[in-house]
């Protein structure tokens, strides 16, 4: 089994949805909500396409590539109404997340978040779950105005940790994110999530290590 070269690694950059948070099923409902309100079928492949985009890109793609008749403000309002409630009340960590973060901090590894979520969703969620204080830096695709098909959100997180890409692990569940992180020179850890399981082989192609459970990463530390 491949492992993480911790002698070289000083930082760990985490995606949230599908990697640390068991939230992808929530987004299936959130992204489908506007279509249901207008009585329109959700286009095939739509949710997998948009769930790693920045908010601006997601709105633009939805308005130009689907039959929804609403404007951007209405679309965002529908999404936020459902997402705010879910992240404030019900979204949980994936099994083993807290133990992994604790083990990394005990080893002196600096931790960052690189997510497509806006701050107003993920900050209250991480605080409710008791893991907000584990992180040294946070970055959203909204900060860099680019989705995860660009590595900029990971590069920004690395700069926030004052580290070079080759000194950091990026943990991701998506083929889009892990591919761009790998191309930017990061060590990459692919994390299984049911929502992205159809792209597992593609994720493995760009992952230096691939795990089915977060506890496998914790075991590598120990």
């Amino acid at each position: 089994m491949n492992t993480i070269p911790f002698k070289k690694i000083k930082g760990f950059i985490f995606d949230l949805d599908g990697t640390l948070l068991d939230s992808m099923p929530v987004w299936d409902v959130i992204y489908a909500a506007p279509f249901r309100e207008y009585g329109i079928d959700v286009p095939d492949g739509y949710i997998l396409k948009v769930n790693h985009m920045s908010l601006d890109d997601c709105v633009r793609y939805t308005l130009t590539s689907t039959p929804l008749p609403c404007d951007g403000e209405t679309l965002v309002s529908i999404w936020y109404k459902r997402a705010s409630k879910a992240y404030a009340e019900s979204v949980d960590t994936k099994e083993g997340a807290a133990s992994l973060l604790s083990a990394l901090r005990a080893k002196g590894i600096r931790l960052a978040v690189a997510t497509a979520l806006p701050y107003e969703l993920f900050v209250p969620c991480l605080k409710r779950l008791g893991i907000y204080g584990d992180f040294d830096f946070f970055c959203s695709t909204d900060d860099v105005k680019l989705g995860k098909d660009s590595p900029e959100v990971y590069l920004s997180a690395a700069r926030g940790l004052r580290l070079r890409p080759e000194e950091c692990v990026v943990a991701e569940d998506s083929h889009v994110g892990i591919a761009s992180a790998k191309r930017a020179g990061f060590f990459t850890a692919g994390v299984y999530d049911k929502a992205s399981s159809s792209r597992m082989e593609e994720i493995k192609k760009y992952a230096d290590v691939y795990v089915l459970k977060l506890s496998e990463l914790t075991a590598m530390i120990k």
Side-chain angles (χ1 to χ4, degrees):
M1 179 182 72
N2 291 335
T3 191
I4 296 172
F6 277 105
K7 289 184 179 180
K8 300 178 181 179
I9 297 301
K10 299 178 181 179
F12 226 96
I13 299 169
F14 284 97
D15 168 59
L16 290 179
D17 285 330
T19 301
L20 277 185
L21 300 180
D22 189 17
S23 51
M24 296 311 295
V26 170
W27 281 101
D28 291 353
V29 176
I30 293 168
Y31 282 132
F35 295 93
R36 294 198 175 112
E37 288 202 13
Y38 286 91
I40 299 171
D41 291 336
V42 180
D44 290 342
Y46 168 78
I47 292 173
L48 188 60
K49 177 75 174 178
V50 299
N51 64 16
H52 297 289
M53 290 181 176
S54 68
L55 179 62
D56 288 345
D57 286 345
C58 189
V59 171
R60 190 177 305 110
Y61 176 81
T62 302
L63 295 181
T64 60
S65 303
T66 77
L68 274 178
C70 62
D71 58 23
E73 184 177 351
T74 301
L75 180 63
V76 171
S77 177
I78 295 171
W79 285 339
Y80 264 61
K81 179 179 178 181
R82 287 154 182 79
S84 295
K85 181 176 177 61
Y87 279 87
E89 298 178 4
S90 61
V91 168
D92 203 352
T93 55
K94 295 183 83 167
E95 183 180 357
S99 295
L100 173 58
L101 296 175
S102 178
L104 287 167
R105 291 204 69 83
K107 196 172 180 64
I109 302 293
R110 298 176 221 169
L111 305 181
V113 162
T115 180
L117 289 170
Y119 286 85
E120 54 263 38
L121 292 185
F122 78 77
V123 170
C125 181
L126 297 185
K127 287 182 176 180
R128 173 175 59 83
L129 294 169
I131 59 174
Y132 179 84
D134 288 326
F135 295 98
D136 302 291
F137 190 79
F138 301 90
C139 188
S140 166
T141 52
D142 290 344
D143 294 323
V144 298
K145 305 302 181 185
L146 293 166
K148 288 191 171 181
D149 54 339
S150 162
E152 187 54 37
V153 70
Y154 310 111
L155 292 169
S156 179
R159 289 192 294 268
L161 295 177
R162 291 173 291 181
L163 297 172
R164 300 185 302 274
E166 61 269 25
E167 296 176 302
C168 299
V169 175
V170 169
E172 263 284 0
D173 70 300
S174 82
H175 66 289
V176 173
I178 204 163
S180 63
K182 182 63 177 176
R183 288 193 294 267
F186 291 93
F187 191 92
T188 52
V191 178
Y192 172 82
D193 190 75
K194 184 178 179 180
S196 56
S197 60
S198 64
R199 310 302 289 263
M200 183 187 296
E201 291 308 312
E202 190 173 353
I203 294 168
K204 287 181 177 180
K205 177 182 175 182
Y206 294 101
D208 293 299
V209 297
Y210 185 83
V211 298
L212 298 177
K213 296 181 179 180
L214 295 177
S215 58
E216 295 174 51
L217 291 177
T218 306
M220 293 179 194
I221 301 168
K222 297 178 179 180

